[in-house]
Amino acid sequence: MEVPNKFRIEDRVAKVALVFSYVLLLLGGLFGFLQVLSRTPGMPKLETAQLYYEGLTLHGVALAILWTAFFIVALAVFVITRELNINMNGPLLRAGCILAVVGSLMGAVAILSGQATVLYTFYPPLQASPLFFIALAIILIGTWFIGAAVLEAIWRWKKLNPGKEVPLATYGVFTTIAIWLLATPPLAYAVLFRSLPMSLFNAPVDVLEWRLWFWFFGHPLVYFWLVPAVTIWYTILPRVLGTEVFSKTAAKAAFMLYLIASVPVGLHHQFVDPGVHPVYKYLHTVLTYLVAVPSFITAFNVIATLEKAGRMRGGKGLFGWITALPWGKDPVFTGITFAIILFGIAGFSGVVNASFNVNYNVHNTAWVVGHFHLTVGGGVTLTFIATSFLLVPLLFGRDYVAKKLLIAVPTLWFVGQLIFGIGYHVAGLLHAPRRTFTAEAGYLNDPNLLNTLHLVGQWTPWLQLGAIGGVIFALGGALFLLLTFVSIFKGPPFRMDGAALQISPTPEKATFFDRLGLLVGIALVIIIIAYSLPAIEIYTRGLSPAPPYWPTGAAAG
C-alpha cells in the first residue's frame, strides 16, 4: 500500500521552483552563448548591438539573481521537510512562489520588449520601464514570504526539540535565508523609493547613495548563492561517498562566519567611487578578507572529507586517496568536486578584487567576468547541476534517461569554464572592458590604440579563447537541460522515498552555534557599524541627484 506524501504542498512548490529555475537557466544561458560569440573579434556576429545589451541584461538577471534563487528555494524546501520531518506554512510558501514567478515573468517582458536595457545592476541614472522595477519589488516580497516560511519551520522544530542541535543541512539553509533577509531591505528601499519614482516621474536620483544600498545587497548575493553550494559540499558529497563530513563543528563555524561577515563588505565594489572616505573602504576590505576565512575552513574540511573517503576505498600513500575516488564514474561526485576546484581558483581572483589598490587594475574589465563565471557559473551552478541528478528523481519520481551521458555534463562544464576563466582573466589584465560590445566598439580599428601601450591588440586571442570555453560549457548546459526535461516527463519510474534520506549526520546536543538569534544579532551590529559611517558621510554632505537617462539615447519618459 502506497504511503500518502505528507509533504504534498511543499513538494509542489519545490517542483515549480525547480522547473522554473531550469527555464531561467535555458533563457539566460542562450543569451550568454549569443553574447560570447557576438562580442568576440573573428567570431560569428549573432546579435545586433541593441539585442546584445538587452540580452546582457536578461543574462545577468535570469542567471545571477533568478536561476540561483529558484533552485535555492527548491533545495531549501526539500531539506527542511526531509531533514526536520516537519510541514511548512503552506499559504506563505504558495504566495511567495506565485509572487516570485509572476515578478520574474513581468521582468522578462520588460527586458525583452526593450524597455529595461539596464544590465543586472540597473545603476541609475539609467532609466527603465516602471514594469521592471515593480517586477523586482514583487520578486523581493515573494522571497520574503518564502524566507518567513523557512524560518517559521525551523523555529517550530526547535520548540519541539529543545536542547537538540540544528541539523547541518538545515543550518546551511538557515544561514542562506538569514543572509538574504539581512541584505535585501536596502535594495527594496533603493528600488521603491529611488528607481521607481525615477521611472514613473523622471525623479532625479543620487547615484552614490543608490550604489551604496545596491552593493549592500550586491555582494551578499554572492554568499546567498555560495552557502547552499557549501551546504551540499558538507552534506550531499559525503553521503555520495558513503562517509560523514570530516568536522561538523568546523562546518558550523564556517556557516557562522559567513552569516556574521558576508553582508558588510559591499564597499569593495565601490573602490573607484570618489564620494566614500578611504577609511570606510579599508574597513570593508578587512571584512572581505574576514569572509575569506570560512572559505578556507571549508576547503580544509572538504579535502579532509575526500581524503577520508579515498582511504576508505583503499587509497594508500600521500596522494593515493585521490585516485581511489570515483572520478569520471559518478556524475554527482564528479560534478561537485569539479565545482569545488573551480571555486577554489575563483577564490584567488576574488582576493585580488577585494584588494583596495590592486582592484584598480582590474575594475570593470573582463577579469571580473572571468571571476564571476568561475564563482556563480563554476562553483555554484555546477554544484546545483550535479545535485539535480539526485533532486529531480526524488521530487518527480522519475529517474534520469541516458544515464551514461550524465558524466559528460560536468566534464564539458568544467573544461569550458576553466578555458573561459583563463581567457577572460588574462584579457582583463590587458584591460579588455567588461560589458562593452567589443566587436563594434571601435577599439580594434583604432591604430592609435592597437599600436600603443593600451594593449588593445593583445585582447583578441584571449577573448577568442574565452569564446571557445563558452561554447564548450554551453554544450554541457544544453545536454543537462535536454536530459533533465526529458527525464521529468518521460524518465523511468523512481520509487525511493525522499523522506527516508538522512541528509546530515545524526543531530547531537545543541552548542553555541545553535544560538541562532544571538548570531543574527552579532551580524546586525557589524552591519550597522560598517554601513552607518559611509551613510552618515553621504547624507551629511547632501545628495546630488542626477536626471534619468534612457540607455537608447531617447529622452527620459
Side-chain angles (χ1 to χ4, degrees), residues 338 407-417 469 472-477 479:
F338 279 175
I407 196 68
V409 173
T411 305
L412 287 168
W413 195 274
F414 175 76
V415 172
Q417 285 278 355
I472 293 173
F473 76 77
L475 288 173
L479 180 62

Side-chain angles (χ1 to χ4, degrees), residues 71 232 236 331-337 339 380-391 400 409-410 480:
F71 186 92
I232 291 166
I236 304 298
V332 179
F333 164 79
T334 303
I336 293 176
T337 46
V380 173
T381 294
L382 186 50
T383 296
F384 291 174
I385 285 175
T387 305
S388 296
F389 298 152
L390 296 175
L391 201 54
Y400 265 86
V409 173
F480 164 70

Side-chain angles (χ1 to χ4, degrees), residues 474-488:
L475 288 173
L479 180 62
F480 164 70
L481 290 170
L482 175 66
L483 294 175
T484 299
F485 282 124
V486 172
S487 301
I488 287 174

Side-chain angles (χ1 to χ4, degrees), residues 65-107:
I65 299 177
L66 298 177
W67 133 253
T68 47
F70 277 97
F71 186 92
I72 290 166
V73 168
L75 182 70
V77 171
F78 184 82
V79 166
I80 294 295
T81 52
R82 268 47 180 203
E83 189 162 64
L84 302 185
N85 193 26
I86 195 168
N87 283 107
M88 300 175 71
N89 186 304
L92 275 178
L93 266 188
R94 280 183 290 201
C97 188
I98 290 170
L99 286 172
V101 170
V102 169
S104 300
L105 294 175
M106 289 169 60

Side-chain angles (χ1 to χ4, degrees), residues 134 186 253 323 328:
I134 293 171
T323 55

Side-chain angles (χ1 to χ4, degrees), residues 113-250:
S113 63
Q115 295 299 304
T117 311
V118 289
L119 310 185
Y120 106 96
T121 45
F122 47 97
Y123 288 149
L126 291 182
Q127 176 70 289
S129 161
L131 183 66
F132 179 74
F133 297 114
I134 293 171
L136 288 174
I138 292 174
I139 292 169
L140 281 177
I141 294 169
T143 60
W144 289 345
F145 281 8
I146 294 169
V150 170
L151 296 186
E152 189 275 337
I154 295 173
W155 177 81
R156 192 156 28 90
W157 181 88
K158 283 177 68 68
K159 294 275 285 184
L160 294 170
N161 297 271
K164 218 172 188 180
E165 68 168 343
V166 177
L168 189 57
T170 299
Y171 201 92
V173 169
F174 168 79
T175 307
T176 304
I177 298 299
I179 290 172
W180 181 260
L181 294 178
L182 287 169
T184 47
L187 177 68
Y189 166 78
V191 169
L192 289 175
F193 296 99
R194 292 292 183 253
S195 297
L196 191 56
M198 175 184 71
S199 180
L200 287 171
F201 312 115
N202 287 334
V205 177
D206 184 277
V207 175
L208 186 59
E209 180 214 21
W210 193 96
R211 283 167 59 85
L212 180 73
W213 299 130
F214 176 83
W215 285 114
F216 187 115
F217 154 82
H219 197 78
L221 175 65
V222 173
Y223 296 95
F224 173 72
W225 312 321
L226 176 61
V227 170
V230 171
T231 303
I232 291 166
W233 303 348
Y234 279 144
T235 55
I236 304 298
L237 181 60
R239 286 281 173 258
V240 169
L241 294 172
T243 186
E244 301 283 0
V245 64
F246 177 75
S247 172
K248 187 171 60 176
T249 302

Side-chain angles (χ1 to χ4, degrees), residues 519-536:
L519 299 182
V520 172
I522 294 172
L524 274 171
V525 170
I526 298 175
I527 290 169
I528 291 170
I529 293 171
Y531 269 101
S532 60
L533 298 173
I536 290 170

